[in-house]
């Protein structure tokens, strides 16, 4: 009889990637909700001025929601770009270099987003 040990399993097969698949759906829902909120804001206000934007982003709750939206965009983008790189860039050194470049870029975008949202 063959002994089956889950600790020896490699991350391949039918169940590999389901977390990324789910994460991409969850981030898409977050982005869609935020888009509906922003669209609703534009529908309520016929003209949006700089003062309106400043007032909208003055509340801490909206800043947190905007940051959640942006982090969702960055994570969603990471999953998509990573999958494209894994599918189409076969040399491991080039693929890993590009993945590191993308990760560093997305991390920089996240820090930049925080600086923009909570900056003066």
């Amino acid at each position: 009889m063959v002994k089956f040990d889950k600790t020896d399993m490699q991350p391949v097969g039918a169940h590999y990637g389901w977390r990324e698949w789910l994460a991409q759906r969850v981030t898409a829902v977050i982005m869609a909700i935020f888009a509906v909120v922003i669209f609703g804001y534009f529908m309520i206000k016929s003209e949006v001025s700089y003062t309106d934007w400043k007032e909208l982003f003055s509340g801490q709750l909206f800043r947190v929601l905007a940051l959640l939206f942006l982090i969702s965009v960055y994570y969603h983008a990471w999953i998509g770009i990573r999958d494209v790189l894994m599918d189409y860039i076969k040399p491991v050194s080039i693929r890993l270099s590009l993945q590191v470049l993308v990760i560093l870029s997305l991390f920089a975008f996240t820090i930049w987003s925080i600086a923009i949202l909570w900056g003066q």
Side-chain angles (χ1 to χ4, degrees):
M1 180 166 178
V2 176
K3 185 176 179 182
F4 183 74
D5 185 11
K6 283 189 174 184
T7 59
D8 293 336
M9 292 177 58
Q10 296 295 320
V12 295
H15 298 290
Y16 181 65
W18 72 270
R19 278 182 242 142
E20 287 80 8
W21 179 86
L22 183 62
Q24 217 166 28
R25 275 45 184 189
V26 169
T27 56
V29 168
I30 291 170
M31 292 184 290
I33 290 170
F34 191 81
V36 168
V37 168
I38 292 294
F39 183 72
Y41 181 75
F42 280 118
M43 296 310 294
I44 291 171
K45 296 238 182 207
S46 59
E47 286 189 32
V48 179
S49 66
Y50 174 77
T51 308
D52 296 326
W53 276 110
K54 192 166 176 125
E55 179 184 325
L56 179 65
F57 281 91
S58 66
Q60 195 73 345
L61 176 63
F62 196 80
R63 287 181 186 181
V64 170
L65 293 176
L67 183 61
L68 177 63
F69 166 77
L70 290 169
I71 289 172
S72 294
V73 169
Y74 302 147
Y75 191 61
H76 192 92
W78 162 246
I79 293 170
I81 292 170
R82 186 207 60 189
D83 287 350
V84 168
L85 292 175
M86 285 173 40
D87 288 345
Y88 296 107
I89 308 295
K90 297 305 177 189
V92 176
S93 60
I94 296 172
R95 182 173 65 232
L96 290 178
S97 298
L98 290 172
Q99 286 177 335
V100 167
L101 182 65
V102 169
I103 288 170
L104 291 175
S105 298
L106 293 172
F107 183 73
F109 296 157
T110 302
I111 300 300
W112 191 18
S113 299
I114 292 168
I116 290 170
L117 288 170
W118 277 275
Q120 298 298 327

